[in-house]
Structure formats: structure tokens, C-alpha cells
Amino acid sequence: MTKDENGRILGRDEEIRARWKMYYEHLMNEENDRERRSAVIQSKEKIVDEISKHRVWDAVRQMKMGKAFEIPAEFWKSLGDEGLNFLVWLFNDILHIEKMPEEWTKSTFIPIYKKKKMFKNVATIGVSMKIWERLIDKRIRKDVDINEE
């Protein structure tokens, strides 16, 4: 059922086609609210603090056990202070050189069989990358208001 702009039901094919034409012409030529808002947003220059040992430990602690195909979270937890120091050094080095390891930019998806002939794709992204993602996500959410859109 197609209605005109006043809510009247259209019955003839010509009326329906004309209404759809008018609808899409309006839709495709309407300015997007998001584009209008982006002109108002101002970027902020901010000095980026080094990543602290405390923050890395929080991120490692939150990792689920037995989930990774590569270096598991248990590995980083079992290394204790030495592993933590290495991760802090690695993450701060990434911050300073502004480039992630090349291996972190690639991921393989493996289909895992679930119930009732369903498959779930699981990414083989490394735990170290997931820890990095958590750290950066927390920093961004602390400094940025994220709109629901």
C-alpha cells in the first residue's frame, strides 16, 4: 500500500510510480544531519600520556581465559611483572612511532560449527592486539562523547 504526502492511499500504477519518484528525489537531495553537525565539531589537540602499567594490568586481567588461537591471555598473566613490563614498553613504543606491528593488521576468520548447522566466524586476532584495543578504547571513551547515532 502506497500513500501520498497527505496520507491518501494511491491505487493507480502511475500515481504509485510518481509518488516513489518524488520520494527518492527528495531523499537523495536532502542534506544529511550528520554532515551538518560535523562542520560544528572541533578537533582537540592533546598530549598523549604514556600507557601505565596499571592500565595494562587492568586490560590483561579482563581478558577471558582459553579464547585465543595465538598467544593466550594466560601467557601474559603467568609472566607476571616481566610480561607486564614488556607490554607497557611495546604499547608505549607503538604510541611513539605511531605504527602498529604489521601482523596486527591481518586476521584470519575460522568458521566454528555451532548448534543446528550454524557456523560462527572466529577471528584469530592476537591477545596482545585485543589488550591494545581495550587500552585505546578506554582512552577514547574517557575523552570523547559518543553520539548514539
Side-chain angles (χ1 to χ4, degrees):
M1 172 176 20
T2 305
K3 297 180 181 180
D4 67 8
E5 59 273 4
N6 298 322
R8 184 178 62 89
I9 297 173
L10 303 175
R12 294 194 334 242
D13 288 343
E14 303 83 40
E15 290 176 322
I16 294 171
R17 274 195 294 276
R19 175 64 179 135
W20 279 110
K21 181 178 184 251
M22 186 174 66
Y23 171 77
Y24 280 109
E25 283 175 350
H26 175 72
L27 180 69
M28 298 305 183
N29 291 307
E30 187 176 277
E31 188 175 332
N32 189 321
D33 286 339
R34 185 178 30 175
E35 290 172 1
R36 230 177 313 185
R37 270 194 322 270
S38 64
V40 178
I41 296 173
Q42 297 174 358
S43 65
K44 295 180 184 179
E45 293 274 337
K46 182 179 177 184
I47 295 173
V48 179
D49 297 330
E50 294 232 328
I51 294 173
S52 70
K53 195 173 183 177
H54 170 73
R55 297 280 184 223
V56 173
W57 176 244
D58 282 348
V60 170
R61 197 173 36 87
Q62 291 172 358
M63 298 300 295
K64 292 181 181 175
M65 301 296 231
K67 291 280 190 174
F69 290 102
E70 295 169 10
I71 298 175
E74 294 91 340
F75 171 78
W76 290 117
K77 290 179 182 181
S78 70
L79 287 179
D81 212 39
E82 285 188 39
L84 206 53
N85 289 336
F86 174 78
L87 284 175
V88 170
W89 169 83
L90 174 65
F91 296 149
N92 282 313
D93 192 46
I94 292 169
L95 269 182
H96 292 296
I97 64 172
E98 298 178 1
K99 184 163 174 49
M100 289 191 318
E102 186 66 31
E103 296 81 24
W104 288 7
T105 63
K106 298 179 179 94
S107 183
T108 304
F109 285 92
I110 300 172
I112 306 264
Y113 179 74
K114 300 294 263 186
K115 299 174 189 172
K116 299 180 183 177
K117 300 181 183 178
M118 300 284 287
F119 286 87
K120 177 182 179 182
N121 283 325
V122 176
T124 60
I125 190 168
V127 171
S128 304
M129 174 64 175
K130 288 183 182 181
I131 295 168
W132 171 254
E133 285 177 342
R134 283 178 190 249
L135 290 167
I136 298 303
D137 182 65
K138 282 186 179 182
R139 282 181 170 218
I140 290 171
R141 290 183 187 277
K142 182 179 73 173
D143 293 336
V144 176
D145 293 326
I146 299 175
N147 192 323
E148 289 182 24
E149 292 178 9

